[in-house]
Amino acid sequence: MVAHSGLLTVMDRAARKAAPRLRRDFNEVQHLQVSRKGPADFVSMADKRAEQTLIEELRKARPDWRILAEEGGELPGDPDKPRFIVDPLDGTTNFLHGIPHFAIVIAVEDPNGAQGKPEITHGLVYQPLTDESFWAEKGRGAWLQDQRLRVSSRRDLSESLIATGIPFMGHGNFAEWSRIFGAVAPEVAGIRRLGSAALDLAWVAAGRFDGYWESDLKPWDVAAGMLLVKEAGGFVTDYRGQDMAMQRNQFLAANDGLHSKLHKLVANALR
Ligand code: 2AM
Ligand code: CA
């Protein structure tokens, strides 16, 4: 059992403050008549309202920190201080369709991390409908509530459940994704596409998924989840197996035993 740091408590409190309204809006969206514009506008309002609450709460606690938010972009602050990276609703398409799988995501990036480079130090993926709070702090492990997380211990690809994100609406390279899928699918127990990158990574950290791949994501989709996987003892690399996931915008995550096997399949598929 470990206590949050003060900063993680701030993040957790902000997410829990935004959650009730998001839950109410989710229940509403399931009952909305399909109006002229459909429920998409309603969901985009819900998204913006949740972001506003998060920003207000985070600003109250750390007034001089910058905030990068999915909807609002970059809010100014002290460049020498850390910044928050916020996604008020990861899994928007699920939310819009009444599928109960989405999360509020908050990460903290220190501009002067190891080797003087920016580094993610805190991550929170909060699932409002299950009240699950996945969180990680650099060097202090990954946690679900007060329970320590560890990536799965599966060593056989044939027993592994792998998550992915399928390119959508012109985002990402479908031919590349297809080649990877063609190489991975026959070797594993199953593939899942659940529609929230942040939860996919949190679930790799929790050992629910054994691995995950996706490309063409935004920092707010992956910053918190990558820290969760690493602090749970897993690996996140690009498709070449290098520590360049953010730079190349390719994310290959897995437990320590499966990562190199999965990476070989992916590398072969892309040769
Ligand atoms: P979002 O819900 O915050 O937009 C999954 O592939 C990732 O891509 C999600 O984390 C999701 O974040 C993002 N995404 C954006 N548009 C999407 C779409 N039309 N379908 C699926 N995912 C989408
Ligand atoms: Ca997102």
Side-chain angles (χ1 to χ4, degrees):
M1 166 90 194
V2 79
H4 282 159
S5 67
L7 179 52
L8 217 300
T9 304
V10 163
M11 294 155 65
D12 195 64
R13 200 176 293 152
R16 286 171 194 276
K17 188 96 185 239
R21 182 64 190 255
L22 209 50
R23 278 194 288 265
R24 277 205 303 281
D25 287 343
F26 177 71
N27 287 329
E28 184 123 339
V29 91
Q30 299 181 87
H31 301 122
L32 272 188
Q33 292 295 334
V34 180
S35 63
R36 193 165 53 84
K37 286 187 174 166
D41 287 359
F42 176 82
V43 171
S44 138
M45 287 286 297
D47 198 350
K48 291 202 176 81
R49 268 198 297 264
E51 183 169 298
Q52 212 42 54
T53 304
L54 294 175
I55 289 172
E56 275 166 30
E57 289 299 306
L58 297 173
R59 270 271 137 104
K60 239 189 269 170
R62 299 290 186 277
D64 51 351
W65 288 17
R66 291 158 299 145
I67 303 179
L68 173 65
E70 180 175 14
E71 300 296 324
E74 186 94 52
L75 305 179
D78 186 340
D80 296 323
K81 298 263 170 74
R83 70 168 176 169
F84 291 111
I85 302 177
V86 172
D87 188 346
L89 177 53
D90 188 55
T92 317
T93 306
N94 285 339
F95 192 98
L96 179 62
H97 287 258
I99 295 171
H101 189 76
F102 55 87
I104 296 170
V105 193
I106 307 172
V108 170
E109 183 188 65
D110 179 354
N112 313 300
Q115 296 127 33
K117 286 192 300 196
E119 181 178 46
I120 303 298
T121 55
H122 298 69
L124 173 78
V125 179
Y126 178 70
Q127 204 172 356
L129 297 179
T130 58
D131 196 34
E132 287 180 306
S133 176
F134 300 89
W135 57 278
E137 295 186 38
K138 177 100 188 128
R140 296 188 68 201
W143 303 79
L144 169 53
Q145 261 81 268
D146 59 0
Q147 177 195 328
R148 183 101 194 220
L149 294 179
R150 169 86 201 146
V151 288
S152 84
S153 54
R154 286 191 191 83
R155 292 284 178 273
D156 287 337
L157 275 172
S158 64
E159 291 172 3
S160 67
L161 189 60
I162 307 296
T164 186
I166 305 172
F168 49 86
M169 304 201 325
H171 287 268
N173 179 336
F174 186 75
E176 179 188 84
W177 179 86
S178 263
R179 287 217 298 279
I180 298 172
F181 178 78
V184 173
E187 304 291 333
V188 300
I191 308 260
R192 296 289 182 273
R193 196 293 191 249
L194 299 192
S196 159
L199 281 169
D200 288 342
L201 286 161
W203 286 19
V204 172
R208 296 176 183 177
F209 290 138
D210 304 295
Y212 163 75
W213 90 90
E214 184 163 2
S215 57
D216 211 38
L217 292 163
K218 302 288 189 193
W220 46 79
D221 300 321
V222 288
M226 284 174 72
L227 182 63
L228 273 155
V229 172
K230 290 177 183 170
E231 287 293 324
F235 290 88
V236 187
T237 68
D238 61 19
Y239 292 165
R240 302 182 208 184
Q242 292 173 334
D243 193 13
M244 299 272 284
M246 278 288 198
Q247 294 90 325
R248 294 221 169 93
N249 209 342
Q250 299 174 331
F251 303 87
L252 179 65
N255 76 33
D256 36 333
L258 285 175
H259 186 275
S260 67
K261 295 177 187 170
L262 199 56
H263 160 244
K264 273 189 199 117
L265 285 179
V266 171
N268 274 335
L270 297 181
R271 231 203 287 283

